[in-house]
């Protein structure tokens, strides 16, 4: 593939990743409003987040083999089109049960976007350039996360939460059309030497038998529980503890993404200065500091600083793990990376469930503090893991 083609596909994958991440985080600032509309607690409303994460994780077992068999870009394109459909249906939900079910379907569709985009980068880009290239994809997904957090809070406070999903559906339509148009000339280019779909599941079993794969997947699941699980309730804490409106809480959460963008734009320099292990140590320390500051701060500016620090630290840590995931099984990279994503979102679903109990009991600050301690321990484990390729 020529450099020009690579840049074009990276832009298209970035657009798809932007929309996918926006859909993933758009409900976080809505939890308070959803609880009020459907007359349930904020903890119960978090089912829209955990349902998305659980199904997202389960679907990875299918998307990995599909991507290896049918072609990663083709599967991504169809997944984006399905996201457009389910996002539109979400806006029509007439009760909370339907909303949870459709959000689960949305998770199933979105599961075929970002992980397969990472796997495609692993196929096309040498290891020496992979950290930097993944950071470019991450920039687009970070912008999507920031937009989803802000727009979810804005529409929940002003236009109504349903409007957010209508706009999101339109964004997915644009991404799907552009991807399918680019792939139209490759419609008959399916590889004939690709492994059968069934043998791909055998590949999954072989990967899970590898000790290094199990270690990477285990620490990824714990990372998802500690960081993504707490992230889902950060807007709620900003609203309840700092007295911010729902829209303002979503806006402050954008600083989490700003921290990630700061990392992604300087990824090459960070790597040169700190090395992979230095990124892990620094990242874990920043996440823990951010969570503690968010938990016990008393002024709104401390909440803002906490989100910035946590975002910067998380992406230092997480992008290093992503690179490990792309390299842990090069012969079956699509399956390996989707297993990585599956572990991440299973961990998130468990983290959300545990955090929901803290919300119902009024103990979010203590839960954030416990998560901070867990991130420091996790950082020590990942420090030992990184570099053993």
């Amino acid at each position: 593939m020529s450099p020009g083609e690579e840049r074009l596909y990276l832009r298209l994958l970035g657009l798809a990743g932007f929309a996918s991440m926006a859909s993933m985080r758009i409900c976080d600032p809505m939890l308070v409003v959803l609880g009020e509309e459907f007359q349930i607690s904020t903890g119960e409303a978090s089912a829209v987040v955990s349902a998305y994460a659980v199904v997202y994780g389960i679907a990875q077992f299918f998307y990995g083999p599909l991507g290896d068999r049918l072609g990663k870009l083709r599967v991504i394109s169809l997944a984006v089109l399905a996201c457009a459909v389910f996002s539109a249906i979400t806006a029509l939900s007439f009760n909370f049960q339907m909303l949870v079910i459709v959000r689960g379907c949305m998770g199933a569709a979105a599961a075929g976007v970002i992980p397969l985009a990472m796997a495609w980068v692993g196929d096309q880009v040498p290891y020496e350039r992979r950290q930097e290239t993944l950071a470019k994809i991450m920039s687009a997904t970070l912008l999507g996360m920031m937009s989803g957090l802000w727009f979810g809070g804005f529409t929940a406070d002003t236009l109504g939460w349903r409007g957010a999903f209508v706009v999101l559906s339109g964004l997915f339509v644009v991404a799907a059309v552009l991807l399918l148009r680019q792939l139209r000339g490759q419609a008959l280019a399916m590889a004939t030497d690709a492994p059968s779909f069934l043998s791909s599941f055998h590949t999954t079993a072989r990967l899970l038998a590898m000790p290094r794969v199990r270690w990477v997947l285990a620490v990824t699941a714990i990372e998802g529980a500690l960081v993504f699980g707490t992230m889902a309730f950060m807007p709620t804490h900003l609203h309840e503890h700092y007295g911010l409106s729902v829209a303002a809480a979503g806006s402050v959460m954008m600083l989490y993404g700003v921290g990630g963008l700061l990392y992604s734009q300087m990824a090459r320099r960070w790597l040169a200065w700190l090395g992979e292990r230095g990124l892990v140590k620094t990242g874990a320390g920043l996440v823990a500091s951010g969570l503690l500051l968010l938990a016990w701060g008393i002024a709104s500016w401390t909440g803002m600083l906490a989100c910035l620090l946590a975002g910067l630290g998380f992406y230092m840590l997480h992008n290093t793990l992503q690179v490990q995931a792309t390299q842990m099984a090069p012969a079956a990279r699509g399956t390996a990376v989707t297993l990585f994503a599956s572990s991440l979102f299973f961990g998130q679903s468990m983290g959300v469930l545990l955090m929901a109990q803290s919300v119902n009991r009024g103990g979010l600050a203590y839960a954030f503090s416990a998560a901070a301690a867990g991130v420091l321990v996790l950082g020590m484990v990942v420090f030992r893991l990184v570099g053993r390729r």
Side-chain angles (χ1 to χ4, degrees):
M1 178 176 293
S2 69
E5 288 179 315
E6 179 183 307
R7 286 193 296 270
L8 175 59
Y9 279 117
L10 284 174
R11 292 191 190 101
L12 294 177
L13 292 175
L15 176 60
F18 174 94
S20 177
M21 185 59 77
S23 75
M24 186 181 300
R25 303 261 63 107
I26 201 167
C27 283
D28 291 1
M30 294 180 179
L31 296 183
V32 173
V33 173
L34 291 175
E36 293 173 352
E37 175 166 337
F38 294 107
Q39 298 182 340
I40 55 179
S41 70
T42 303
E44 290 171 321
S46 68
V48 297
V49 178
S50 56
Y52 186 107
V54 168
V55 181
Y56 192 109
I58 293 172
Q60 298 306 322
F61 291 103
F62 299 93
Y63 278 117
L66 275 175
D68 286 338
R69 172 65 179 170
L70 302 180
K72 298 173 182 65
L73 293 175
R74 184 177 291 106
V75 174
I76 290 170
S77 302
L78 296 176
V80 171
L81 186 60
C83 284
V85 174
F86 286 120
S87 186
I89 296 174
T90 302
L92 303 176
S93 299
F94 52 81
N95 59 38
F96 186 69
Q97 289 73 24
M98 178 179 176
L99 179 60
V100 171
I101 291 171
V102 180
R103 281 294 289 172
C105 294
M106 187 73 187
V113 181
I114 296 175
L116 286 182
M118 290 169 49
W120 181 86
V121 170
D123 287 342
Q124 300 295 327
V125 179
Y127 186 86
E128 293 73 21
R129 290 199 297 119
R130 204 172 296 160
Q131 177 93 270
E132 180 184 355
T133 305
L134 284 173
K136 293 178 181 178
I137 294 284
M138 189 176 69
S139 295
T141 61
L142 279 168
L143 288 171
M145 180 190 75
M146 293 162 63
S147 299
L149 287 166
W150 172 78
F151 194 60
F154 172 77
T155 53
D157 244 5
T158 55
L159 306 176
W161 61 269
R162 297 175 191 273
F165 292 101
V166 174
V167 174
L168 192 60
S169 178
L171 181 61
F172 275 118
V173 168
V174 172
V177 168
L178 292 176
L179 277 167
L180 290 170
R181 179 180 297 175
Q182 183 64 28
L183 290 172
R184 183 170 53 187
Q186 304 178 17
L188 301 177
M190 185 184 303
T192 57
D193 59 347
S196 70
F197 192 72
L198 182 60
S199 69
S200 296
F201 285 100
H202 295 160
T203 300
T204 299
R206 289 199 300 271
L207 290 178
L208 293 176
M210 299 168 61
R212 178 171 181 80
V213 171
R214 292 199 301 270
W215 268 105
V216 172
L217 296 181
V219 298
T220 300
I222 296 170
E223 181 197 41
L226 293 173
V227 182
F228 275 1
T230 55
M231 182 181 175
F233 291 94
M234 286 182 179
T236 298
H237 190 66
L238 288 167
H239 174 69
E240 295 179 348
H241 181 72
Y242 291 96
L244 300 178
S245 68
V246 173
S251 298
V252 169
M253 277 298 297
M254 291 178 67
L255 291 170
Y256 193 101
V258 170
L261 280 175
L262 178 61
Y263 163 72
S264 68
Q265 296 304 310
M266 298 182 63
R268 180 187 296 178
R269 294 180 182 177
W270 286 117
L271 187 60
W273 292 339
L274 301 173
E276 286 188 314
R277 287 187 162 187
L279 285 174
V280 169
K281 289 193 299 183
T282 306
L286 288 174
V287 172
S289 300
L291 289 175
L292 290 172
L293 186 60
L294 179 69
W296 303 108
I298 56 175
S300 58
W301 69 266
T302 59
M304 297 170 66
L305 178 60
C307 291
L308 181 66
L309 292 176
L312 175 60
F314 170 68
Y315 284 99
M316 282 183 170
L317 177 62
H318 184 67
N319 203 50
T320 304
L321 272 178
Q322 283 186 154
V323 173
Q324 299 302 308
T326 64
Q327 195 62 20
M328 64 185 181
R333 190 170 278 119
T335 302
V337 174
T338 50
L339 282 174
F340 168 83
S342 178
S343 295
L344 180 68
F345 285 92
F346 275 131
Q348 176 184 339
S349 64
M350 292 304 299
V352 169
L353 290 174
L354 292 173
M355 290 295 294
Q357 300 303 312
S358 300
V359 173
N360 293 335
R361 297 174 183 175
L364 267 179
Y366 294 101
F368 286 151
S369 300
V375 168
L376 291 176
V377 175
L378 178 69
M380 290 187 287
V381 175
V382 177
F383 180 83
R384 296 177 61 86
L385 182 67
V386 167
R388 298 178 182 177
R389 288 192 279 132

